[in-house]
Amino acid sequence: MIKVSIVGITGYTGEELLKILSKHPQVKLAGLYGRASGQMRDLKDIYPAFEKLNLKVEPLDISKIKENSNAVFLALPHAVSFEIVPKLLEAGLKVIDLSADFRLKNAGVYEKWYKVSHTAKEYISKAVYGLSELNEELIKQAALVANPGCYPTTIALGLAPALKDGLVDFNGIVIDSKSGISGAGRNAAKEYFNAEHPNFRAYKVAGTHRHIPEIEQELEILSGSSVRVTFTPHIMPVERGMLSTIYADLKQNAAAQEIARKYKEFYKDKPFIKILDAGALPSIKSVVNTNYCEIALKVDERTNKLIVISAIDNLTKGASGQAVQNMNIMFGLDEAEGLI
């Protein structure tokens, strides 16, 4: 059994981790932790649905985590993991960090976009970017996995085969993404549902969203070339779910069916990727509360553009589900264990 601790249990991703890991056949929950300054509480007082687990949520205690755990999930705000990660790695634990703190390979880029000094730069090179379908072999050997952001997950999975096969131009990629409000965190969701729901709006327009450097970094790795994207995120009037529509210029004429065949071959051994048949389109209803990513491919012959539509649950495949998938890979389990 893998002895697992979750740090940051009170947010959306912490709750989702608890849902998945409490039913995982190879996991024992060793500890649930909040912030260092908090008080010990019964889990049932935070999440009544988990009363039968009879667990406590404790203030953060690194020494106790070291003693009781093999693996640790950090579901914390950005810039909080800097002090925690080195201590856990030095103790020989495997760490899956759901924040952005170790996703970007360049500390200066992180500091520019997140407006905070990176105080654990030496650990960036030790982190493996945890996009499970693309980096499985690296994840197997990793002690520290930087779990991807939700938007970058839909985009990288949607574009990976086309970029690797050189089907599309690396310049001029346009991405229109829509997320459930949970993607902004629990406090933002409360404010949204109390003040403006229902509503549908764009935000962080014209290259200002903090996921842009992560998106471009991963697309550059896939393509082997410099990539710049136009990315516009939107908030949908739902709690969870995410759908991205991606537009890229084809380098030469190609039929959607032929491109779909290449995508199916690329993802043939990946249990959570569904390449939809011609005529079908992804929907968030089909993927919510699952770890699946649905992908559809269309060709606009008039403009010679490839249109990729990908959908995930932003809290599952876009966060906690993928984190558990990465844990499974790190410990040599079937990657789908506890997720299907």
Side-chain angles (χ1 to χ4, degrees):
M1 298 290 282
I2 306 169
K3 295 181 289 183
V4 170
S5 288
I6 304 172
V7 181
I9 194 65
T10 58
Y12 271 118
T13 54
E15 180 184 9
E16 196 71 17
L17 282 168
L18 185 59
K19 287 179 184 178
I20 299 168
L21 293 170
S22 63
K23 298 177 182 178
H24 194 297
Q26 300 298 327
V27 163
K28 175 181 172 58
L29 287 171
L32 306 177
Y33 298 90
R35 294 297 188 91
S37 59
Q39 301 293 318
M40 183 177 292
R41 303 170 63 184
D42 289 331
L43 178 63
K44 66 181 181 180
D45 292 339
I46 303 171
Y47 302 123
F50 294 110
E51 181 176 4
K52 290 185 179 179
L53 293 180
N54 195 29
L55 294 172
K56 304 282 188 182
V57 177
E58 306 176 54
L60 180 59
D61 186 332
I62 298 295
S63 297
K64 192 169 184 179
I65 293 173
K66 289 179 182 179
E67 292 175 6
N68 297 339
S69 307
N70 307 122
V72 183
F73 291 87
L74 301 179
L76 296 165
H78 306 311
V80 179
S81 297
F82 295 152
E83 292 186 14
I84 301 172
V85 164
K87 296 174 182 177
L88 297 176
L89 293 179
E90 288 163 9
L93 278 61
K94 293 185 183 293
V95 180
I96 301 101
D97 182 21
L98 281 80
S99 80
D101 291 350
F102 298 94
R103 293 176 192 160
L104 297 175
K105 306 301 183 185
N106 185 314
V109 173
Y110 176 93
E111 292 173 345
K112 174 183 175 181
W113 286 83
Y114 286 84
K115 311 301 182 186
V116 63
S117 295
H118 200 301
T119 59
K121 294 182 177 69
E122 64 271 31
Y123 289 88
I124 293 175
S125 62
K126 302 179 187 298
V128 170
Y129 188 74
L131 197 55
S132 308
E133 284 74 18
L134 303 185
N135 294 331
E136 181 177 354
E137 293 305 313
L138 293 173
I139 294 166
K140 286 179 180 178
Q141 308 302 320
L144 171 61
V145 166
N147 214 61
C150 45
Y151 285 125
T153 294
T154 65
I155 295 159
L157 291 176
L159 281 173
L163 291 176
K164 293 287 282 188
D165 205 33
L167 296 176
V168 297
D169 194 319
F170 303 148
N171 296 309
I173 296 172
V174 175
I175 305 160
D176 183 312
S177 294
K178 301 166 181 66
S179 174
I181 189 61
S182 58
R186 197 179 293 279
N187 289 334
K190 287 179 181 178
E191 180 180 342
Y192 173 84
F193 284 114
N194 288 335
E196 60 173 306
H197 179 74
N199 195 7
F200 182 85
R201 56 179 169 83
Y203 70 106
K204 299 289 185 181
V205 179
T208 58
H209 194 284
R210 293 188 296 188
H211 278 171
I212 287 175
E214 182 182 343
I215 293 165
E216 293 181 343
Q217 171 185 279
E218 296 309 307
L219 297 187
E220 287 177 357
I221 290 170
L222 286 164
S223 67
S225 178
S226 177
V227 175
R228 289 293 178 267
V229 302
T230 299
F231 172 63
T232 303
H234 303 73
I235 289 294
M236 296 185 288
V238 296
E239 184 176 26
R240 58 198 295 166
M242 177 170 286
L243 188 145
S244 290
T245 304
I246 307 163
Y247 305 87
D249 292 319
L250 285 163
K251 288 185 176 179
Q252 54 189 331
N253 293 337
Q257 288 182 330
E258 174 61 17
I259 296 172
R261 185 191 64 77
K262 292 181 178 182
Y263 267 64
K264 288 178 180 179
E265 177 65 21
F266 187 91
Y267 287 125
K268 64 181 179 180
D269 298 321
K270 306 303 179 184
F272 293 112
I273 306 298
K274 293 183 177 181
I275 308 302
L276 302 186
D277 293 331
L281 293 173
S283 70
I284 61 169
K285 186 176 181 180
S286 299
V287 295
V288 162
N289 294 310
T290 80
N291 199 52
Y292 291 104
C293 175
E294 287 190 345
I295 299 173
L297 303 148
K298 301 291 181 181
V299 171
D300 185 337
E301 296 179 357
R302 189 177 63 86
T303 60
N304 199 38
K305 287 187 184 294
L306 174 65
I307 302 172
V308 182
I309 305 171
S310 60
I312 63 171
D313 184 323
N314 58 292
L315 294 179
T316 313
K317 184 59 175 167
S320 303
Q322 183 155 233
V324 173
Q325 187 178 355
N326 285 326
M327 180 202 73
N328 288 339
I329 295 169
M330 294 169 84
F331 283 88
L333 303 177
D334 185 316
E335 65 183 297
E337 188 83 65
L339 291 165
I340 294 179

